[in-house]
Amino acid sequence: MKRILTAIIAIILALGVKAQIEEPRSILEIGVGGGLNLSKMEFQPTIRQFYLNGAGGGVSIRYTSEKYFSMICAAQLEVNFAQRGWKEDFDDKTGNSYSRCLNYIEVPFLAHLSFGKEPYGLQFFINLGPQISFLLDDSETYEGQWEIESRPYATQAIYGKQIDNKFDYGILGGAGLELKTKVGNFFVEGRYYYGLGDIFNNSKTDDFGRSANTTIYARIGYSTKIF
């Protein structure tokens, strides 16, 4: 009997500690955001590249469920338009250039973890999770006077090559600051996307063993509480 009472007391104390650690929340927010994208491709065989400048933006919905110690935990879903791609580094001092722009619809599923003041004040946050994307269209830009045959053999297969895989997937991570006010929330954020899929087929008989998106995002945005 003494052991049973001891166990009951231990459970009650544990539940009390848990209640103090986990503070429930139920906050739903919608927002908009966007900014600049800097993109390259991870090719194998390697192709020399510069970052390609692009733009992007979209909408988000975030649900905050609890505060655990000092960490405010939420889930965030977004739908964004993003320009990705690459710009080849010719490195021949001719001024010639080649770039390819890939326009995607992106859908990130993110854990949003924030630290700081609430309900109003400055918070630091981290976003991390998977992202799937769907290619809408792509375009090539050739500048200067050059011939495909003059380019290195490994890169010749790129020019005019059709995108094989329009579905893309990978990991997205970012961090930023959010200022929560009575008129809404304002944020700045930096993100990095690492693609796990390839835009070209990658069998032993194909031209490339790896052709994956990598993108750096610089974003600003606004969100507001629904309830």
Side-chain angles (χ1 to χ4, degrees):
M1 185 67 178
K2 186 176 181 180
R3 291 182 179 179
I4 294 175
L5 288 174
T6 302
I8 292 173
I9 292 171
I11 292 171
I12 292 172
L13 290 173
L15 290 174
V17 170
K18 184 177 180 180
Q20 293 176 4
I21 292 175
E22 295 183 5
E23 302 177 22
R25 300 285 191 278
S26 183
I27 302 171
L28 186 66
E29 298 169 275
I30 58 172
V32 294
L36 175 68
N37 305 336
L38 300 175
S39 301
K40 285 184 177 181
M41 299 293 295
E42 187 176 287
F43 284 119
Q44 185 182 0
T46 301
I47 295 177
R48 294 173 59 95
Q49 301 167 61
F50 297 112
Y51 281 106
L52 179 69
N53 296 336
V59 297
S60 65
I61 184 167
R62 181 196 304 166
Y63 179 72
T64 303
S65 60
E66 67 180 2
K67 183 176 182 180
Y68 190 79
F69 287 102
S70 61
M71 182 172 64
I72 304 165
C73 304
Q76 183 165 304
L77 173 67
E78 300 177 7
V79 178
N80 299 316
F81 168 80
Q83 294 177 320
R84 303 190 211 154
W86 72 95
K87 183 176 182 179
E88 189 175 341
D89 178 6
F90 275 54
D91 194 31
D92 57 8
K93 299 180 181 180
T94 62
N96 297 337
S97 69
Y98 169 84
S99 62
R100 190 158 189 173
C101 181
L102 309 174
N103 294 321
Y104 280 94
I105 291 293
E106 301 175 335
V107 184
F109 303 86
L110 303 173
H112 179 89
L113 308 175
S114 56
F115 307 84
K117 297 181 179 181
E118 57 176 348
Y120 307 118
L122 189 65
Q123 293 184 356
F124 167 78
F125 66 85
I126 297 171
N127 283 324
L128 181 64
Q131 175 175 284
I132 59 175
S133 308
F134 305 90
L135 182 67
L136 298 176
D137 55 51
D138 68 291
S139 59
E140 295 178 289
T141 301
Y142 300 81
E143 294 183 357
Q145 302 295 325
W146 55 278
E147 297 179 355
I148 292 178
E149 291 76 12
S150 67
R151 304 301 301 138
Y153 177 76
T155 67
Q156 290 180 17
I158 284 288
Y159 309 125
K161 184 176 178 63
Q162 182 177 352
I163 303 297
D164 296 311
N165 304 311
K166 294 188 175 182
F167 176 75
D168 186 52
Y169 62 95
I171 301 298
L172 181 68
L177 295 172
E178 185 169 24
L179 180 62
K180 292 184 172 290
T181 74
K182 292 182 179 181
V183 296
N185 312 317
F186 305 86
F187 72 84
V188 294
E189 181 187 8
R191 292 180 171 183
Y192 180 74
Y193 172 74
Y194 183 76
L196 300 177
D198 295 317
I199 64 171
F200 300 130
N201 292 336
N202 57 7
S203 70
K204 292 183 179 180
T205 59
D206 289 308
D207 298 306
F208 295 95
R210 177 79 170 143
S211 54
N213 285 281
T214 63
T215 307
I216 299 171
Y217 303 83
R219 292 166 48 89
I220 60 173
Y222 170 83
S223 66
T224 185
K225 181 179 175 181
I226 299 177
F227 62 79

